[in-house]
mmCIF file of all heavy atoms in Angstrom:
data_model
loop_
_atom_site.group_PDB
_atom_site.id
_atom_site.type_symbol
_atom_site.label_atom_id
_atom_site.label_comp_id
_atom_site.label_asym_id
_atom_site.label_seq_id
_atom_site.Cartn_x
_atom_site.Cartn_y
_atom_site.Cartn_z
ATOM 1 N N ARG A 124 -5.531 3.737 13.813
ATOM 2 C CA ARG A 124 -5.503 2.410 14.458
ATOM 3 C C ARG A 124 -4.329 2.368 15.419
ATOM 4 O O ARG A 124 -3.185 2.631 15.017
ATOM 5 C CB ARG A 124 -5.345 1.315 13.430
ATOM 6 C CG ARG A 124 -6.504 1.150 12.466
ATOM 7 C CD ARG A 124 -6.130 0.195 11.335
ATOM 8 N NE ARG A 124 -5.631 -1.079 11.850
ATOM 9 C CZ ARG A 124 -4.931 -1.966 11.155
ATOM 10 N NH1 ARG A 124 -4.618 -1.678 9.887
ATOM 11 N NH2 ARG A 124 -4.529 -3.102 11.688
ATOM 12 N N ILE A 125 -4.618 2.067 16.672
ATOM 13 C CA ILE A 125 -3.572 1.868 17.677
ATOM 14 C C ILE A 125 -3.553 0.385 18.011
ATOM 15 O O ILE A 125 -4.457 -0.150 18.651
ATOM 16 C CB ILE A 125 -3.839 2.701 18.946
ATOM 17 C CG1 ILE A 125 -3.980 4.180 18.593
ATOM 18 C CG2 ILE A 125 -2.738 2.487 19.977
ATOM 19 C CD1 ILE A 125 -4.402 5.059 19.768
ATOM 20 N N GLY A 126 -2.512 -0.308 17.522
ATOM 21 C CA GLY A 126 -2.420 -1.754 17.716
ATOM 22 C C GLY A 126 -1.792 -2.096 19.048
ATOM 23 O O GLY A 126 -0.734 -1.575 19.407
ATOM 24 N N VAL A 127 -2.440 -2.970 19.822
ATOM 25 C CA VAL A 127 -1.975 -3.333 21.162
ATOM 26 C C VAL A 127 -1.842 -4.852 21.250
ATOM 27 O O VAL A 127 -2.774 -5.601 20.959
ATOM 28 C CB VAL A 127 -2.957 -2.844 22.244
ATOM 29 C CG1 VAL A 127 -2.463 -3.248 23.625
ATOM 30 C CG2 VAL A 127 -3.132 -1.335 22.160
ATOM 31 N N GLU A 128 -0.653 -5.322 21.660
ATOM 32 C CA GLU A 128 -0.432 -6.720 21.947
ATOM 33 C C GLU A 128 -0.617 -6.927 23.440
ATOM 34 O O GLU A 128 0.083 -6.303 24.243
ATOM 35 C CB GLU A 128 0.974 -7.158 21.508
ATOM 36 C CG GLU A 128 1.237 -8.626 21.801
ATOM 37 C CD GLU A 128 2.647 -9.042 21.471
ATOM 38 O OE1 GLU A 128 3.494 -8.149 21.191
ATOM 39 O OE2 GLU A 128 2.955 -10.257 21.527
ATOM 40 N N SER A 129 -1.560 -7.788 23.812
ATOM 41 C CA SER A 129 -1.882 -7.961 25.213
ATOM 42 C C SER A 129 -1.889 -9.442 25.570
ATOM 43 O O SER A 129 -1.482 -10.301 24.751
ATOM 44 C CB SER A 129 -3.246 -7.324 25.502
ATOM 45 O OG SER A 129 -3.554 -7.361 26.872
ATOM 46 N N ARG A 130 -2.325 -9.761 26.772
ATOM 47 C CA ARG A 130 -2.411 -11.138 27.235
ATOM 48 C C ARG A 130 -3.777 -11.386 27.826
ATOM 49 O O ARG A 130 -4.336 -10.516 28.518
ATOM 50 C CB ARG A 130 -1.334 -11.427 28.290
ATOM 51 C CG ARG A 130 0.078 -11.355 27.755
ATOM 52 C CD ARG A 130 0.477 -12.640 27.072
ATOM 53 N NE ARG A 130 1.817 -12.533 26.478
ATOM 54 C CZ ARG A 130 2.378 -13.525 25.782
ATOM 55 N NH1 ARG A 130 1.735 -14.682 25.629
ATOM 56 N NH2 ARG A 130 3.580 -13.375 25.282
ATOM 57 N N SER A 131 -4.317 -12.589 27.599
ATOM 58 C CA SER A 131 -5.589 -12.950 28.199
ATOM 59 C C SER A 131 -5.365 -13.309 29.651
ATOM 60 O O SER A 131 -4.236 -13.358 30.144
ATOM 61 C CB SER A 131 -6.191 -14.149 27.444
ATOM 62 O OG SER A 131 -5.427 -15.314 27.700
ATOM 63 N N ASP A 132 -6.450 -13.599 30.343
ATOM 64 C CA ASP A 132 -6.340 -13.985 31.749
ATOM 65 C C ASP A 132 -5.547 -15.275 31.910
ATOM 66 O O ASP A 132 -4.963 -15.540 32.967
ATOM 67 C CB ASP A 132 -7.748 -14.187 32.362
ATOM 68 C CG ASP A 132 -8.522 -12.871 32.429
ATOM 69 O OD1 ASP A 132 -7.844 -11.807 32.450
ATOM 70 O OD2 ASP A 132 -9.768 -12.887 32.464
ATOM 71 N N LEU A 133 -5.511 -16.094 30.849
ATOM 72 C CA LEU A 133 -4.758 -17.338 30.887
ATOM 73 C C LEU A 133 -3.336 -17.183 30.375
ATOM 74 O O LEU A 133 -2.592 -18.162 30.275
ATOM 75 C CB LEU A 133 -5.490 -18.411 30.055
ATOM 76 C CG LEU A 133 -6.906 -18.768 30.523
ATOM 77 C CD1 LEU A 133 -7.552 -19.784 29.577
ATOM 78 C CD2 LEU A 133 -6.860 -19.325 31.949
ATOM 79 N N GLY A 134 -2.972 -15.970 29.997
ATOM 80 C CA GLY A 134 -1.615 -15.699 29.523
ATOM 81 C C GLY A 134 -1.423 -15.856 28.054
ATOM 82 O O GLY A 134 -0.308 -15.744 27.525
ATOM 83 N N ASP A 135 -2.495 -16.136 27.300
ATOM 84 C CA ASP A 135 -2.382 -16.278 25.846
ATOM 85 C C ASP A 135 -2.280 -14.889 25.188
ATOM 86 O O ASP A 135 -2.925 -13.942 25.630
ATOM 87 C CB ASP A 135 -3.597 -17.016 25.294
ATOM 88 C CG ASP A 135 -3.706 -18.432 25.845
ATOM 89 O OD1 ASP A 135 -2.647 -19.045 26.086
ATOM 90 O OD2 ASP A 135 -4.851 -18.901 26.070
ATOM 91 N N PRO A 136 -1.523 -14.782 24.093
ATOM 92 C CA PRO A 136 -1.390 -13.483 23.421
ATOM 93 C C PRO A 136 -2.716 -13.079 22.740
ATOM 94 O O PRO A 136 -3.420 -13.921 22.167
ATOM 95 C CB PRO A 136 -0.290 -13.719 22.390
ATOM 96 C CG PRO A 136 -0.284 -15.190 22.168
ATOM 97 C CD PRO A 136 -0.679 -15.824 23.464
ATOM 98 N N GLU A 137 -3.022 -11.804 22.832
ATOM 99 C CA GLU A 137 -4.196 -11.236 22.195
ATOM 100 C C GLU A 137 -3.822 -9.933 21.515
ATOM 101 O O GLU A 137 -2.962 -9.196 22.028
ATOM 102 C CB GLU A 137 -5.325 -10.982 23.199
ATOM 103 C CG GLU A 137 -5.909 -12.226 23.827
ATOM 104 C CD GLU A 137 -7.015 -11.916 24.830
ATOM 105 O OE1 GLU A 137 -6.975 -10.818 25.433
ATOM 106 O OE2 GLU A 137 -7.905 -12.769 25.032
ATOM 107 N N TRP A 138 -4.445 -9.638 20.374
ATOM 108 C CA TRP A 138 -4.160 -8.406 19.655
ATOM 109 C C TRP A 138 -5.445 -7.593 19.484
ATOM 110 O O TRP A 138 -6.488 -8.142 19.176
ATOM 111 C CB TRP A 138 -3.585 -8.710 18.258
ATOM 112 C CG TRP A 138 -2.149 -9.125 18.325
ATOM 113 C CD1 TRP A 138 -1.658 -10.326 18.708
ATOM 114 C CD2 TRP A 138 -1.025 -8.331 17.981
ATOM 115 N NE1 TRP A 138 -0.281 -10.325 18.644
ATOM 116 C CE2 TRP A 138 0.132 -9.103 18.179
ATOM 117 C CE3 TRP A 138 -0.872 -7.026 17.502
ATOM 118 C CZ2 TRP A 138 1.417 -8.636 17.928
ATOM 119 C CZ3 TRP A 138 0.407 -6.558 17.239
ATOM 120 C CH2 TRP A 138 1.526 -7.351 17.458
ATOM 121 N N TYR A 139 -5.317 -6.311 19.703
ATOM 122 C CA TYR A 139 -6.474 -5.423 19.584
ATOM 123 C C TYR A 139 -6.078 -4.182 18.777
ATOM 124 O O TYR A 139 -4.918 -3.754 18.772
ATOM 125 C CB TYR A 139 -6.947 -4.955 20.967
ATOM 126 C CG TYR A 139 -7.438 -6.088 21.839
ATOM 127 C CD1 TYR A 139 -6.590 -6.658 22.792
ATOM 128 C CD2 TYR A 139 -8.743 -6.585 21.737
ATOM 129 C CE1 TYR A 139 -7.024 -7.685 23.602
ATOM 130 C CE2 TYR A 139 -9.190 -7.605 22.568
ATOM 131 C CZ TYR A 139 -8.321 -8.162 23.491
ATOM 132 O OH TYR A 139 -8.755 -9.174 24.293
ATOM 133 N N ASP A 140 -7.069 -3.603 18.145
ATOM 134 C CA ASP A 140 -6.955 -2.269 17.593
ATOM 135 C C ASP A 140 -7.850 -1.324 18.392
ATOM 136 O O ASP A 140 -9.051 -1.637 18.577
ATOM 137 C CB ASP A 140 -7.394 -2.228 16.124
ATOM 138 C CG ASP A 140 -6.255 -2.430 15.151
ATOM 139 O OD1 ASP A 140 -5.105 -2.272 15.566
ATOM 140 O OD2 ASP A 140 -6.515 -2.774 13.973
ATOM 141 N N VAL A 141 -7.296 -0.216 18.858
ATOM 142 C CA VAL A 141 -8.142 0.872 19.335
ATOM 143 C C VAL A 141 -8.337 1.768 18.120
ATOM 144 O O VAL A 141 -7.415 2.447 17.666
ATOM 145 C CB VAL A 141 -7.459 1.648 20.482
ATOM 146 C CG1 VAL A 141 -8.366 2.804 20.932
ATOM 147 C CG2 VAL A 141 -7.152 0.719 21.653
ATOM 148 N N VAL A 142 -9.549 1.732 17.572
ATOM 149 C CA VAL A 142 -9.821 2.484 16.344
ATOM 150 C C VAL A 142 -10.433 3.841 16.719
ATOM 151 O O VAL A 142 -11.481 3.896 17.397
ATOM 152 C CB VAL A 142 -10.794 1.707 15.429
ATOM 153 C CG1 VAL A 142 -11.013 2.482 14.130
ATOM 154 C CG2 VAL A 142 -10.241 0.324 15.140
ATOM 155 N N VAL A 143 -9.784 4.894 16.299
ATOM 156 C CA VAL A 143 -10.232 6.251 16.589
ATOM 157 C C VAL A 143 -10.816 6.825 15.298
ATOM 158 O O VAL A 143 -10.117 6.952 14.295
ATOM 159 C CB VAL A 143 -9.081 7.135 17.080
ATOM 160 C CG1 VAL A 143 -9.580 8.537 17.438
ATOM 161 C CG2 VAL A 143 -8.396 6.482 18.277
ATOM 162 N N GLU A 144 -12.096 7.156 15.317
ATOM 163 C CA GLU A 144 -12.756 7.715 14.147
ATOM 164 C C GLU A 144 -13.186 9.154 14.460
ATOM 165 O O GLU A 144 -14.055 9.379 15.296
ATOM 166 C CB GLU A 144 -13.998 6.862 13.784
ATOM 167 C CG GLU A 144 -13.637 5.429 13.444
ATOM 168 C CD GLU A 144 -14.852 4.568 13.177
ATOM 169 O OE1 GLU A 144 -15.994 5.015 13.465
ATOM 170 O OE2 GLU A 144 -14.679 3.440 12.682
ATOM 171 N N ILE A 145 -12.537 10.090 13.824
ATOM 172 C CA ILE A 145 -12.802 11.515 14.050
ATOM 173 C C ILE A 145 -13.700 12.006 12.912
ATOM 174 O O ILE A 145 -13.232 12.388 11.856
ATOM 175 C CB ILE A 145 -11.484 12.308 14.134
ATOM 176 C CG1 ILE A 145 -10.617 11.749 15.253
ATOM 177 C CG2 ILE A 145 -11.747 13.798 14.348
ATOM 178 C CD1 ILE A 145 -9.241 12.367 15.335
ATOM 179 N N MET A 146 -15.021 11.948 13.170
ATOM 180 C CA MET A 146 -15.970 12.228 12.087
ATOM 181 C C MET A 146 -17.153 13.024 12.611
ATOM 182 O O MET A 146 -18.310 12.638 12.439
ATOM 183 C CB MET A 146 -16.466 10.922 11.485
ATOM 184 C CG MET A 146 -15.371 10.036 10.933
ATOM 185 S SD MET A 146 -15.962 8.515 10.136
ATOM 186 C CE MET A 146 -16.828 7.754 11.497
ATOM 187 N N GLY A 147 -16.877 14.155 13.279
ATOM 188 C CA GLY A 147 -17.970 14.999 13.750
ATOM 189 C C GLY A 147 -18.891 14.279 14.699
ATOM 190 O O GLY A 147 -18.452 13.605 15.625
ATOM 191 N N ARG A 148 -20.195 14.353 14.467
ATOM 192 C CA ARG A 148 -21.161 13.753 15.374
ATOM 193 C C ARG A 148 -21.135 12.219 15.285
ATOM 194 O O ARG A 148 -21.730 11.542 16.119
ATOM 195 C CB ARG A 148 -22.559 14.268 15.100
ATOM 196 C CG ARG A 148 -23.137 13.946 13.754
ATOM 197 C CD ARG A 148 -24.444 14.688 13.510
ATOM 198 N NE ARG A 148 -25.038 14.401 12.234
ATOM 199 C CZ ARG A 148 -25.908 13.413 12.016
ATOM 200 N NH1 ARG A 148 -26.299 12.653 13.023
ATOM 201 N NH2 ARG A 148 -26.419 13.232 10.817
ATOM 202 N N HIS A 149 -20.446 11.661 14.273
ATOM 203 C CA HIS A 149 -20.323 10.212 14.155
ATOM 204 C C HIS A 149 -18.982 9.729 14.737
ATOM 205 O O HIS A 149 -18.622 8.552 14.542
ATOM 206 C CB HIS A 149 -20.425 9.779 12.701
ATOM 207 C CG HIS A 149 -21.724 10.156 12.048
ATOM 208 N ND1 HIS A 149 -22.931 9.627 12.456
ATOM 209 C CD2 HIS A 149 -22.012 11.034 11.053
ATOM 210 C CE1 HIS A 149 -23.902 10.137 11.723
ATOM 211 N NE2 HIS A 149 -23.385 11.016 10.877
ATOM 212 N N SER A 150 -18.252 10.559 15.434
ATOM 213 C CA SER A 150 -16.965 10.183 16.000
ATOM 214 C C SER A 150 -17.139 9.042 17.009
ATOM 215 O O SER A 150 -18.152 8.931 17.671
ATOM 216 C CB SER A 150 -16.293 11.383 16.685
ATOM 217 O OG SER A 150 -16.039 12.404 15.754
ATOM 218 N N ASN A 151 -16.082 8.219 17.116
ATOM 219 C CA ASN A 151 -16.186 7.064 18.002
ATOM 220 C C ASN A 151 -14.790 6.570 18.371
ATOM 221 O O ASN A 151 -13.799 6.902 17.708
ATOM 222 C CB ASN A 151 -16.967 5.921 17.327
ATOM 223 C CG ASN A 151 -17.761 5.081 18.314
ATOM 224 O OD1 ASN A 151 -17.456 5.057 19.494
ATOM 225 N ND2 ASN A 151 -18.794 4.407 17.816
ATOM 226 N N ILE A 152 -14.737 5.787 19.456
ATOM 227 C CA ILE A 152 -13.540 5.068 19.861
ATOM 228 C C ILE A 152 -13.974 3.616 19.995
ATOM 229 O O ILE A 152 -14.823 3.294 20.843
ATOM 230 C CB ILE A 152 -12.979 5.585 21.184
ATOM 231 C CG1 ILE A 152 -12.698 7.096 21.097
ATOM 232 C CG2 ILE A 152 -11.683 4.833 21.548
ATOM 233 C CD1 ILE A 152 -12.390 7.734 22.445
ATOM 234 N N ILE A 153 -13.415 2.738 19.187
ATOM 235 C CA ILE A 153 -13.902 1.362 19.103
ATOM 236 C C ILE A 153 -12.744 0.393 19.409
ATOM 237 O O ILE A 153 -11.665 0.516 18.844
ATOM 238 C CB ILE A 153 -14.469 1.076 17.698
ATOM 239 C CG1 ILE A 153 -15.523 2.138 17.317
ATOM 240 C CG2 ILE A 153 -15.060 -0.324 17.623
ATOM 241 C CD1 ILE A 153 -15.950 2.068 15.869
ATOM 242 N N LEU A 154 -13.010 -0.543 20.302
ATOM 243 C CA LEU A 154 -12.038 -1.584 20.600
ATOM 244 C C LEU A 154 -12.338 -2.807 19.741
ATOM 245 O O LEU A 154 -13.429 -3.382 19.851
ATOM 246 C CB LEU A 154 -12.069 -1.930 22.092
ATOM 247 C CG LEU A 154 -11.069 -2.992 22.581
ATOM 248 C CD1 LEU A 154 -9.626 -2.527 22.318
ATOM 249 C CD2 LEU A 154 -11.278 -3.276 24.070
ATOM 250 N N VAL A 155 -11.385 -3.176 18.868
ATOM 251 C CA VAL A 155 -11.600 -4.266 17.910
ATOM 252 C C VAL A 155 -10.606 -5.376 18.210
ATOM 253 O O VAL A 155 -9.405 -5.120 18.341
ATOM 254 C CB VAL A 155 -11.444 -3.763 16.458
ATOM 255 C CG1 VAL A 155 -11.604 -4.907 15.454
ATOM 256 C CG2 VAL A 155 -12.441 -2.656 16.165
ATOM 257 N N ALA A 156 -11.098 -6.606 18.292
ATOM 258 C CA ALA A 156 -10.229 -7.758 18.489
ATOM 259 C C ALA A 156 -9.818 -8.324 17.149
ATOM 260 O O ALA A 156 -10.659 -8.530 16.265
ATOM 261 C CB ALA A 156 -10.944 -8.822 19.315
ATOM 262 N N HIS A 157 -8.491 -8.598 16.958
ATOM 263 C CA HIS A 157 -7.995 -9.158 15.704
ATOM 264 C C HIS A 157 -8.472 -10.599 15.552
ATOM 265 O O HIS A 157 -8.523 -11.346 16.514
ATOM 266 C CB HIS A 157 -6.461 -9.157 15.683
ATOM 267 C CG HIS A 157 -5.882 -7.817 15.409
ATOM 268 N ND1 HIS A 157 -5.431 -7.441 14.192
ATOM 269 C CD2 HIS A 157 -5.673 -6.759 16.239
ATOM 270 C CE1 HIS A 157 -4.942 -6.204 14.269
ATOM 271 N NE2 HIS A 157 -5.095 -5.766 15.500
ATOM 272 N N GLU A 158 -8.759 -10.952 14.323
ATOM 273 C CA GLU A 158 -9.093 -12.363 14.020
ATOM 274 C C GLU A 158 -8.089 -12.969 13.048
ATOM 275 O O GLU A 158 -8.095 -14.167 12.827
ATOM 276 C CB GLU A 158 -10.497 -12.449 13.407
ATOM 277 C CG GLU A 158 -11.582 -12.024 14.385
ATOM 278 C CD GLU A 158 -12.967 -12.145 13.787
ATOM 279 O OE1 GLU A 158 -13.102 -11.976 12.551
ATOM 280 O OE2 GLU A 158 -13.915 -12.432 14.528
ATOM 281 N N ASP A 159 -7.216 -12.123 12.506
ATOM 282 C CA ASP A 159 -6.278 -12.605 11.500
ATOM 283 C C ASP A 159 -4.913 -11.980 11.814
ATOM 284 O O ASP A 159 -4.753 -10.764 11.786
ATOM 285 C CB ASP A 159 -6.746 -12.176 10.095
ATOM 286 C CG ASP A 159 -5.846 -12.734 9.000
ATOM 287 O OD1 ASP A 159 -4.739 -13.244 9.322
ATOM 288 O OD2 ASP A 159 -6.236 -12.650 7.821
ATOM 289 N N ASP A 160 -3.914 -12.840 12.086
ATOM 290 C CA ASP A 160 -2.593 -12.330 12.437
ATOM 291 C C ASP A 160 -1.964 -11.494 11.323
ATOM 292 O O ASP A 160 -1.146 -10.625 11.550
ATOM 293 C CB ASP A 160 -1.643 -13.488 12.752
ATOM 294 C CG ASP A 160 -2.026 -14.180 14.054
ATOM 295 O OD1 ASP A 160 -2.905 -13.650 14.753
ATOM 296 O OD2 ASP A 160 -1.455 -15.244 14.354
ATOM 297 N N GLU A 161 -2.390 -11.754 10.063
ATOM 298 C CA GLU A 161 -1.748 -11.087 8.930
ATOM 299 C C GLU A 161 -2.055 -9.598 8.855
ATOM 300 O O GLU A 161 -1.360 -8.861 8.150
ATOM 301 C CB GLU A 161 -2.184 -11.763 7.640
ATOM 302 C CG GLU A 161 -1.709 -13.206 7.528
ATOM 303 C CD GLU A 161 -2.164 -13.829 6.230
ATOM 304 O OE1 GLU A 161 -2.807 -13.127 5.435
ATOM 305 O OE2 GLU A 161 -1.829 -15.002 5.996
ATOM 306 N N ILE A 162 -3.090 -9.134 9.551
ATOM 307 C CA ILE A 162 -3.468 -7.730 9.428
ATOM 308 C C ILE A 162 -2.746 -6.855 10.454
ATOM 309 O O ILE A 162 -2.935 -5.659 10.469
ATOM 310 C CB ILE A 162 -4.989 -7.526 9.567
ATOM 311 C CG1 ILE A 162 -5.444 -7.846 10.995
ATOM 312 C CG2 ILE A 162 -5.740 -8.383 8.581
ATOM 313 C CD1 ILE A 162 -6.875 -7.474 11.248
ATOM 314 N N ARG A 163 -1.961 -7.446 11.343
ATOM 315 C CA ARG A 163 -1.293 -6.656 12.346
ATOM 316 C C ARG A 163 -0.331 -5.669 11.724
ATOM 317 O O ARG A 163 0.599 -6.021 10.996
ATOM 318 C CB ARG A 163 -0.500 -7.566 13.302
ATOM 319 C CG ARG A 163 -1.436 -8.517 14.065
ATOM 320 C CD ARG A 163 -0.644 -9.528 14.869
ATOM 321 N NE ARG A 163 -1.546 -10.501 15.468
ATOM 322 C CZ ARG A 163 -1.127 -11.603 16.080
ATOM 323 N NH1 ARG A 163 0.165 -11.879 16.166
ATOM 324 N NH2 ARG A 163 -2.009 -12.435 16.621
ATOM 325 N N GLY A 164 -0.532 -4.382 11.993
ATOM 326 C CA GLY A 164 0.315 -3.343 11.488
ATOM 327 C C GLY A 164 0.060 -2.999 10.045
ATOM 328 O O GLY A 164 0.660 -2.083 9.490
ATOM 329 N N GLU A 165 -0.837 -3.735 9.395
ATOM 330 C CA GLU A 165 -1.132 -3.480 7.989
ATOM 331 C C GLU A 165 -1.771 -2.101 7.805
ATOM 332 O O GLU A 165 -2.551 -1.659 8.616
ATOM 333 C CB GLU A 165 -2.081 -4.587 7.499
ATOM 334 C CG GLU A 165 -2.522 -4.439 6.073
ATOM 335 C CD GLU A 165 -3.563 -5.517 5.742
ATOM 336 O OE1 GLU A 165 -3.178 -6.695 5.645
ATOM 337 O OE2 GLU A 165 -4.735 -5.179 5.577
ATOM 338 N N GLU A 166 -1.404 -1.458 6.684
ATOM 339 C CA GLU A 166 -2.042 -0.174 6.384
ATOM 340 C C GLU A 166 -3.508 -0.427 6.028
ATOM 341 O O GLU A 166 -3.875 -1.494 5.584
ATOM 342 C CB GLU A 166 -1.334 0.494 5.212
ATOM 343 C CG GLU A 166 0.135 0.787 5.467
ATOM 344 C CD GLU A 166 0.391 1.815 6.543
ATOM 345 O OE1 GLU A 166 -0.532 2.599 6.827
ATOM 346 O OE2 GLU A 166 1.486 1.819 7.117
ATOM 347 N N GLY A 167 -4.336 0.610 6.227
ATOM 348 C CA GLY A 167 -5.738 0.483 5.864
ATOM 349 C C GLY A 167 -6.596 0.271 7.101
ATOM 350 O O GLY A 167 -6.108 0.294 8.232
#
């Protein structure tokens, strides 16, 4: 998980995870928007 603190077009703070899944033919790069401030930086 690569956590990124960004800003919306209106200047409001936004948090995203760039989730990197290295799983052979199921590998993926997924951009996930946070919905809960408490999970920022959390393990898991």
Side-chain angles (χ1 to χ4, degrees):
R124 294 171 54 198
I125 303 174
V127 179
E128 180 184 9
S129 186
R130 294 279 176 180
S131 70
D132 294 336
L133 299 177
D135 297 326
E137 294 180 332
W138 283 76
Y139 298 96
D140 267 342
V141 178
V142 183
V143 183
E144 299 176 348
I145 302 175
M146 302 183 301
R148 63 189 181 91
H149 300 296
S150 298
N151 212 338
I152 305 169
I153 307 170
L154 182 59
V155 178
H157 284 260
E158 295 182 328
D159 185 348
D160 291 351
E161 295 181 1
I162 68 171
R163 297 173 186 171
E165 177 184 290
E166 300 294 338

